[in-house]
Amino acid sequence: MSNIVLRLLLVCLGSFVLTALLGRVLIPALHALKAGQSIREIGPKWHQVKSGTPTMGGIMFIVPTALLVIFCDLPALRDGVYDHLLVLGLALVYGLIGFLDDFVKVRLHRNLGLTALQKLLLQLAAALLFLWLLRGTGSLTYDLYVPFFNVSFAIPWPVYLIFAGFVIVGCVNAVNLTDGIDGLAAGVTTPVMVFFAAAAYLWGSDTLALFPAALTGGLLGFLVYNFHPAKVFMGDTGSLFLGGAVCGMAFALDMPLVLILVGIVYIVETVSVMMQVTYFKLTHGKRIFRMTPIHHHFEMGGWSEVKIFSVFTGVTVLMCLLAWLGIFHRFG
């Protein structure tokens, strides 16, 4: 085992331990602050029993991930390597947007949090700033790499910027939609982070691999408390952070199209909502699914939360393996 792989494994383990320990302090603190989640009435009725479960638990894996990424590779900063910090910064900005949203829900008792326009503008601004900074490092070529075919197509920068902004904002909100039952967003995102850590290592960037390695450990530590029955929810604080992490890594590795494969669950969740809303309007009240996002469709059909977690995470693992085959020759 190389020193780099051992280092990444130690970072992952350290993040797991720190997250698990932080949970023992954070959950009681959230209870004391009365940071309980309000369950929307349009969701499954049996979810009402979860009302009052602390939210904003994403802090639990955000803090250890950020600390390890910042302090475990200080020599890289002296050498002018900071792509990993740009990805961390994007995720933190989205996490902050999510925190503001959670704060509005919990403290001001507005269940929908920030308005859709407020979130869209904040998310778009963060995406464009990230892309501009990443381009400045030389990591973002704005050539569109196509997995499996191992070819890239040059796209004019303005066109690429519009495309990339749309992808980032869409990806972040897709991950947010996935966070609808116990453990699902964390479970699905864990193999995605493992994939990105391996891809960054294969690319020869152990510094960039540091972020997904740390987040992998953090998510596993969070699942100690978030797996069904959940003792804490990540809230928009955590889900938007994860969305920023997923798309940030895809663009830092200059292969955003890989999101179609590794993010298949996020995409299906989002498409199910779009199909439901469109069909509902066109047919004046008819539905395709029992309830959306699609994890609720399966839940309404009798699937347990544990089964949905297992199936959706398993599908993501398989798609990440397929994506690995699709990008392997790029770094060969």
Side-chain angles (χ1 to χ4, degrees):
M1 182 182 295
S2 71
N3 291 334
I4 295 175
V5 173
L6 179 61
R7 182 165 173 261
L8 294 176
L9 290 175
L10 288 174
V11 166
C12 180
L13 177 62
S15 184
F16 170 81
V17 172
L18 289 174
T19 301
L21 291 175
L22 182 57
R24 299 178 67 86
V25 177
L26 181 63
I27 293 175
L30 291 174
H31 273 296
L33 292 172
K34 300 187 182 338
Q37 175 70 54
S38 297
I39 304 300
R40 297 178 64 183
E41 294 181 359
I42 61 174
K45 289 183 172 41
W46 52 88
H47 279 206
Q48 294 299 322
V49 300
K50 302 182 181 185
S51 183
T53 302
T55 188
M56 295 189 284
I59 296 170
M60 195 187 304
F61 56 79
I62 291 173
V63 172
T65 297
L67 291 177
L68 287 168
V69 169
I70 292 171
F71 292 108
C72 283
D73 217 342
L74 292 176
L77 298 181
R78 291 194 292 268
D79 294 337
V81 178
Y82 47 85
D83 286 0
H84 59 307
L85 292 185
L86 291 181
V87 177
L88 173 63
L90 179 70
L92 286 174
V93 169
Y94 281 121
L96 178 59
I97 295 171
F99 178 81
L100 293 174
D101 196 37
D102 285 333
F103 182 83
V104 170
K105 294 175 185 176
V106 172
R107 306 305 295 178
L108 301 183
H109 305 291
R110 280 172 45 190
N111 194 41
L112 293 179
L114 299 175
T115 67
L117 181 60
Q118 288 171 334
K119 286 190 281 190
L120 176 62
L121 292 177
L122 289 171
Q123 291 173 5
L124 186 58
L128 295 178
L129 178 61
F130 168 74
L131 292 166
W132 179 72
L133 291 173
L134 192 62
R135 183 189 178 191
T137 69
S139 297
L140 188 64
T141 64
Y142 54 93
D143 289 343
L144 200 58
Y145 173 74
V146 182
F148 296 103
F149 296 95
N150 201 32
V151 296
S152 297
F153 296 97
I155 298 177
W157 173 242
V159 176
Y160 187 92
L161 193 63
I162 295 171
F163 157 78
F166 172 80
V167 169
I168 291 176
V169 173
C171 176
V172 168
N173 286 285
V175 176
N176 181 245
L177 282 175
T178 306
D179 183 35
I181 63 172
D182 296 354
L184 185 59
V188 168
T189 306
T190 297
V192 176
M193 286 299 112
V194 172
F195 167 83
F196 281 130
Y201 171 74
L202 189 65
W203 198 26
S205 179
D206 55 306
T207 301
L208 187 57
L210 190 66
F211 175 77
L215 186 50
T216 297
L219 289 173
L220 292 174
F222 181 67
L223 280 170
V224 171
Y225 305 99
N226 185 236
F227 189 75
H228 185 73
K231 300 178 181 66
V232 66
F233 300 139
M234 68 172 65
D236 285 358
T237 304
S239 61
L240 293 187
F241 177 90
L242 293 184
V246 170
C247 57
M249 283 301 305
F251 280 95
L253 288 168
D254 204 20
M255 50 181 187
L257 290 184
V258 80
L259 290 171
I260 297 173
L261 297 172
V262 302
I264 189 64
V265 168
Y266 310 136
I267 294 170
V268 171
E269 294 273 26
T270 304
V271 171
S272 71
V273 174
M274 295 170 64
M275 290 174 62
Q276 185 87 320
V277 171
T278 302
Y279 189 74
F280 186 87
K281 291 181 178 179
L282 291 176
T283 60
H284 305 288
K286 293 183 180 180
R287 291 175 170 84
I288 300 174
F289 305 102
R290 300 181 185 95
M291 185 178 290
T292 56
I294 200 168
H295 56 258
H296 288 320
H297 170 79
F298 291 109
E299 194 177 9
M300 297 287 284
W303 285 27
S304 69
E305 293 191 46
V306 173
K307 181 176 181 179
I308 296 170
F309 169 92
S310 301
V311 172
F312 282 37
T313 301
V315 168
T316 302
V317 170
L318 293 176
M319 294 304 290
C320 285
L321 291 174
L322 181 61
W324 180 258
L325 295 176
I327 61 112
F328 186 80
H329 292 292
R330 183 186 190 193
F331 307 116

